[in-house]
Coordinates of all heavy atoms in Angstrom, one line a residue:
A1 N -68.2 -13.6 38.4 CA -68.3 -12.1 38.5 C -67.2 -11.6 39.4 O -66.6 -12.4 40.2 CB -69.6 -11.7 39.0
L2 N -66.9 -10.3 39.2 CA -65.8 -9.7 39.9 C -66.2 -8.3 40.4 O -66.8 -7.6 39.6 CB -64.6 -9.6 39.0 CG -63.3 -8.9 39.5 CD1 -62.1 -9.6 38.9 CD2 -63.3 -7.5 39.0
D3 N -65.9 -8.0 41.6 CA -66.0 -6.6 42.1 C -64.8 -5.9 41.8 O -63.7 -6.1 42.3 CB -66.2 -6.7 43.7 CG -66.3 -5.3 44.3 OD1 -66.1 -4.3 43.6 OD2 -66.5 -5.2 45.5
W4 N -64.9 -5.0 40.8 CA -63.7 -4.3 40.3 C -62.9 -3.6 41.3 O -61.7 -3.7 41.4 CB -64.1 -3.4 39.1 CG -62.9 -2.9 38.4 CD1 -61.9 -2.0 38.9 CD2 -62.4 -3.3 37.1 NE1 -60.9 -1.8 38.0 CE2 -61.2 -2.6 36.9 CE3 -62.9 -4.1 36.2 CZ2 -60.5 -2.7 35.7 CZ3 -62.2 -4.3 35.0 CH2 -61.1 -3.6 34.8
S5 N -63.6 -2.8 42.2 CA -62.8 -2.0 43.1 C -62.2 -2.8 44.3 O -61.1 -2.6 44.7 CB -63.7 -0.9 43.6 OG -64.8 -1.4 44.3
G6 N -63.0 -3.8 44.7 CA -62.6 -4.6 45.9 C -61.8 -5.8 45.5 O -61.1 -6.4 46.3
G7 N -62.0 -6.3 44.3 CA -61.3 -7.5 43.8 C -62.0 -8.8 44.2 O -61.5 -9.9 43.8
S8 N -63.1 -8.8 44.9 CA -63.7 -10.1 45.3 C -64.2 -10.8 44.0 O -64.7 -10.1 43.1 CB -64.9 -9.9 46.2 OG -64.4 -9.3 47.4
T9 N -64.2 -12.1 44.0 CA -64.7 -12.9 42.9 C -65.7 -13.8 43.3 O -65.8 -14.3 44.5 CB -63.5 -13.6 42.2 OG1 -62.9 -14.5 43.2 CG2 -62.5 -12.7 41.7
Y10 N -66.6 -14.2 42.4 CA -67.7 -15.0 42.6 C -67.9 -16.0 41.4 O -67.7 -15.6 40.3 CB -69.0 -14.2 42.7 CG -68.9 -13.0 43.7 CD1 -68.3 -11.8 43.2 CD2 -69.2 -13.1 45.0 CE1 -68.2 -10.7 44.1 CE2 -69.1 -12.1 45.9 CZ -68.6 -10.9 45.4 OH -68.4 -9.8 46.3
Y11 N -68.2 -17.2 41.7 CA -68.3 -18.2 40.7 C -69.5 -19.1 40.8 O -69.9 -19.4 42.0 CB -67.0 -19.2 40.7 CG -65.7 -18.5 40.5 CD1 -65.0 -18.0 41.5 CD2 -65.3 -18.4 39.1 CE1 -63.7 -17.4 41.2 CE2 -64.1 -17.8 38.9 CZ -63.3 -17.3 39.9 OH -62.1 -16.6 39.7
A12 N -70.0 -19.5 39.7 CA -71.0 -20.6 39.8 C -70.3 -21.8 40.3 O -69.2 -22.1 39.9 CB -71.6 -20.8 38.4
D13 N -71.0 -22.6 41.0 CA -70.4 -23.8 41.7 C -69.8 -24.7 40.6 O -68.7 -25.3 40.8 CB -71.5 -24.6 42.4 CG -71.8 -23.9 43.7 OD1 -71.1 -23.0 44.2 OD2 -72.9 -24.2 44.3
S14 N -70.4 -24.9 39.5 CA -69.9 -25.8 38.5 C -68.7 -25.3 37.8 O -68.0 -26.0 37.0 CB -71.0 -26.1 37.4 OG -71.4 -24.9 36.8
M15 N -68.3 -24.0 37.9 CA -67.2 -23.4 37.3 C -66.0 -23.3 38.2 O -64.8 -23.1 37.7 CB -67.5 -22.0 36.8 CG -68.8 -21.8 36.2 SD -69.0 -22.8 34.6 CE -70.8 -22.4 34.3
K16 N -66.2 -23.5 39.5 CA -65.1 -23.3 40.4 C -64.0 -24.3 40.1 O -64.2 -25.5 39.8 CB -65.6 -23.5 41.9 CG -66.4 -22.4 42.4 CD -66.9 -22.6 43.8 CE -67.8 -21.5 44.3 NZ -68.3 -21.8 45.6
G17 N -62.8 -23.9 40.2 CA -61.6 -24.7 39.9 C -61.1 -24.8 38.5 O -60.0 -25.1 38.2
R18 N -62.0 -24.5 37.6 CA -61.6 -24.5 36.1 C -61.5 -23.1 35.5 O -60.8 -22.9 34.6 CB -62.6 -25.4 35.3 CG -62.6 -26.8 35.7 CD -63.3 -27.7 34.6 NE -64.7 -27.2 34.5 CZ -65.2 -26.9 33.3 NH1 -64.5 -26.9 32.2 NH2 -66.5 -26.5 33.2
F19 N -62.4 -22.2 36.0 CA -62.5 -20.9 35.5 C -61.9 -19.9 36.5 O -62.2 -20.0 37.7 CB -63.9 -20.5 35.1 CG -64.5 -21.3 34.0 CD1 -63.8 -22.3 33.4 CD2 -65.8 -21.0 33.5 CE1 -64.3 -23.0 32.3 CE2 -66.3 -21.7 32.5 CZ -65.6 -22.7 31.9
T20 N -61.2 -18.9 36.0 CA -60.7 -17.8 36.9 C -61.0 -16.5 36.3 O -60.7 -16.2 35.1 CB -59.2 -18.0 37.1 OG1 -58.9 -19.2 37.6 CG2 -58.7 -16.9 38.0
I21 N -61.6 -15.6 37.0 CA -61.9 -14.2 36.6 C -60.9 -13.3 37.2 O -60.5 -13.4 38.4 CB -63.4 -13.8 36.9 CG1 -63.7 -12.5 36.2 CG2 -63.6 -13.8 38.4 CD1 -65.2 -12.2 36.3
S22 N -60.4 -12.3 36.4 CA -59.4 -11.4 36.9 C -59.6 -10.1 36.1 O -60.3 -10.0 35.2 CB -58.0 -11.9 36.7 OG -57.7 -12.1 35.4
R23 N -58.8 -9.1 36.6 CA -59.0 -7.8 35.9 C -57.6 -7.2 35.7 O -56.6 -7.5 36.4 CB -59.8 -6.8 36.8 CG -59.1 -6.3 38.0 CD -60.1 -5.7 39.0 NE -59.6 -5.0 40.1 CZ -59.0 -5.6 41.2 NH1 -58.9 -6.9 41.2 NH2 -58.6 -4.9 42.2
E24 N -57.5 -6.2 34.8 CA -56.3 -5.5 34.5 C -56.7 -4.0 34.4 O -57.3 -3.6 33.4 CB -55.6 -5.9 33.2 CG -54.3 -5.2 32.9 CD -53.6 -5.8 31.8 OE1 -54.0 -6.8 31.2 OE2 -52.5 -5.3 31.4
N25 N -56.4 -3.3 35.5 CA -56.9 -1.9 35.6 C -56.4 -1.0 34.4 O -57.3 -0.3 33.9 CB -56.3 -1.3 36.9 CG -57.1 -1.8 38.1 OD1 -58.3 -2.0 38.0 ND2 -56.4 -2.0 39.2
A26 N -55.2 -1.1 34.0 CA -54.7 -0.2 33.0 C -55.4 -0.3 31.7 O -55.5 0.6 30.9 CB -53.2 -0.4 32.8
K27 N -55.9 -1.5 31.4 CA -56.6 -1.8 30.2 C -58.1 -1.8 30.3 O -58.8 -2.1 29.3 CB -56.1 -3.1 29.6 CG -54.6 -3.1 29.2 CD -54.2 -4.4 28.5 CE -52.8 -4.4 28.1 NZ -52.4 -5.6 27.4
A28 N -58.6 -1.5 31.5 CA -60.1 -1.6 31.8 C -60.6 -2.9 31.2 O -61.7 -2.9 30.5 CB -60.8 -0.4 31.1
T29 N -60.0 -4.0 31.5 CA -60.3 -5.3 30.9 C -60.5 -6.3 32.0 O -59.7 -6.3 33.0 CB -59.2 -5.7 29.9 OG1 -59.1 -4.8 28.9 CG2 -59.5 -7.1 29.4
V30 N -61.5 -7.1 31.9 CA -61.7 -8.3 32.7 C -61.5 -9.5 31.9 O -61.9 -9.6 30.7 CB -63.1 -8.3 33.3 CG1 -63.4 -9.6 34.0 CG2 -63.3 -7.1 34.3
Y31 N -60.8 -10.5 32.5 CA -60.5 -11.7 31.8 C -61.3 -12.9 32.4 O -61.6 -12.9 33.6 CB -59.0 -12.0 31.9 CG -58.1 -11.0 31.3 CD1 -57.4 -10.1 32.1 CD2 -58.0 -10.8 29.9 CE1 -56.6 -9.1 31.6 CE2 -57.2 -9.8 29.4 CZ -56.5 -9.0 30.2 OH -55.7 -8.0 29.7
L32 N -61.5 -13.9 31.6 CA -62.0 -15.2 32.1 C -61.1 -16.3 31.5 O -61.1 -16.6 30.3 CB -63.5 -15.4 31.6 CG -64.1 -16.7 32.2 CD1 -64.3 -16.6 33.7 CD2 -65.4 -17.0 31.5
Q33 N -60.3 -16.8 32.4 CA -59.4 -17.9 32.0 C -60.1 -19.2 32.2 O -60.6 -19.5 33.3 CB -58.1 -17.9 32.9 CG -57.2 -19.0 32.6 CD -56.5 -18.9 31.3 OE1 -56.1 -17.9 30.8 NE2 -56.4 -20.1 30.6
M34 N -60.2 -20.0 31.2 CA -61.0 -21.2 31.2 C -60.0 -22.4 30.9 O -59.4 -22.4 29.8 CB -62.1 -21.2 30.2 CG -63.0 -20.0 30.3 SD -64.5 -20.0 29.2 CE -63.7 -19.9 27.6
N35 N -59.9 -23.3 31.8 CA -59.0 -24.4 31.7 C -59.8 -25.7 31.7 O -61.0 -25.8 32.1 CB -58.0 -24.4 32.8 CG -57.1 -23.2 32.8 OD1 -56.8 -22.7 31.8 ND2 -56.7 -22.8 34.0
N36 N -59.2 -26.7 31.2 CA -59.8 -28.1 31.2 C -61.2 -28.0 30.6 O -62.2 -28.5 31.2 CB -59.8 -28.7 32.6 CG -60.2 -30.2 32.5 OD1 -60.1 -30.8 31.5 ND2 -60.7 -30.6 33.6
L37 N -61.3 -27.4 29.4 CA -62.6 -27.2 28.8 C -63.2 -28.5 28.4 O -62.6 -29.4 28.0 CB -62.5 -26.2 27.6 CG -62.3 -24.8 28.0 CD1 -61.7 -23.9 26.8 CD2 -63.6 -24.2 28.5
K38 N -64.6 -28.5 28.5 CA -65.4 -29.7 28.2 C -66.4 -29.3 27.1 O -66.7 -28.1 26.9 CB -66.1 -30.1 29.4 CG -65.2 -30.4 30.6 CD -66.0 -30.7 31.8 CE -65.1 -30.9 33.0 NZ -65.9 -31.3 34.3
P39 N -66.8 -30.3 26.3 CA -67.8 -30.0 25.2 C -69.0 -29.3 25.8 O -69.6 -28.4 25.1 CB -68.1 -31.4 24.7 CG -66.9 -32.2 24.9 CD -66.4 -31.7 26.3
E40 N -69.4 -29.5 27.0 CA -70.6 -28.9 27.6 C -70.3 -27.4 27.9 O -71.2 -26.7 28.3 CB -71.1 -29.6 28.8 CG -70.0 -29.9 29.9 CD -69.5 -31.3 29.7 OE1 -69.2 -31.7 28.6 OE2 -69.3 -31.9 30.8
D41 N -69.1 -26.9 27.8 CA -68.8 -25.5 27.9 C -69.0 -24.7 26.6 O -68.9 -23.5 26.6 CB -67.3 -25.3 28.3 CG -67.0 -25.9 29.7 OD1 -67.8 -25.7 30.6 OD2 -65.9 -26.5 29.9
T42 N -69.4 -25.4 25.6 CA -69.7 -24.8 24.3 C -70.9 -23.8 24.5 O -72.0 -24.3 24.9 CB -70.0 -25.8 23.2 OG1 -68.8 -26.6 23.0 CG2 -70.4 -25.1 21.9
A43 N -70.7 -22.6 24.1 CA -71.7 -21.6 24.3 C -71.2 -20.2 23.8 O -70.0 -20.1 23.5 CB -72.1 -21.4 25.8
V44 N -72.1 -19.3 23.7 CA -71.7 -17.9 23.5 C -71.5 -17.3 24.9 O -72.4 -17.4 25.7 CB -72.8 -17.1 22.7 CG1 -72.4 -15.6 22.6 CG2 -73.0 -17.7 21.3
Y45 N -70.4 -16.7 25.1 CA -70.0 -16.1 26.3 C -70.2 -14.6 26.3 O -69.7 -13.9 25.3 CB -68.6 -16.5 26.7 CG -68.5 -17.9 27.2 CD1 -68.6 -19.0 26.3 CD2 -68.2 -18.2 28.6 CE1 -68.5 -20.3 26.8 CE2 -68.1 -19.5 29.0 CZ -68.3 -20.5 28.1 OH -68.2 -21.8 28.6
Y46 N -70.9 -14.1 27.3 CA -71.2 -12.6 27.3 C -70.5 -12.0 28.6 O -70.6 -12.7 29.7 CB -72.7 -12.4 27.4 CG -73.4 -12.9 26.2 CD1 -73.9 -14.1 26.1 CD2 -73.7 -12.0 25.1 CE1 -74.7 -14.6 25.0 CE2 -74.4 -12.4 24.0 CZ -74.9 -13.7 24.0 OH -75.6 -14.2 22.9
C47 N -70.0 -10.8 28.5 CA -69.7 -10.1 29.7 C -70.7 -9.0 29.9 O -71.3 -8.5 29.0 CB -68.2 -9.5 29.6 SG -68.0 -8.3 28.3
A48 N -70.8 -8.6 31.1 CA -71.8 -7.6 31.5 C -71.3 -6.8 32.7 O -70.5 -7.3 33.5 CB -73.1 -8.3 31.8

């Protein structure tokens, strides 16, 4: 998760180091960069 105005980020412990959340103000868009993906990462991903 990300605090849009303050920029603070929060991660589930198991995601730290592989996933990065960020934002782009001009596009009102939040990104989730996922690296070193594993079969157990298979899922439907939702933003909220």
Side-chain angles (χ1 to χ4, degrees):
L2 175 145
D3 175 353
W4 189 287
S5 59
S8 297
T9 57
Y10 310 86
Y11 296 92
D13 287 342
S14 60
M15 317 298 173
K16 290 179 182 177
R18 295 193 300 126
F19 292 5
T20 302
I21 189 170
S22 62
R23 71 193 188 290
E24 185 171 355
N25 283 325
K27 295 185 177 180
T29 296
V30 171
Y31 301 103
L32 183 68
Q33 177 68 42
M34 306 186 294
N35 298 326
N36 190 23
L37 284 162
K38 305 174 182 180
E40 51 265 41
D41 295 317
T42 295
V44 178
Y45 284 70
Y46 299 88
C47 63

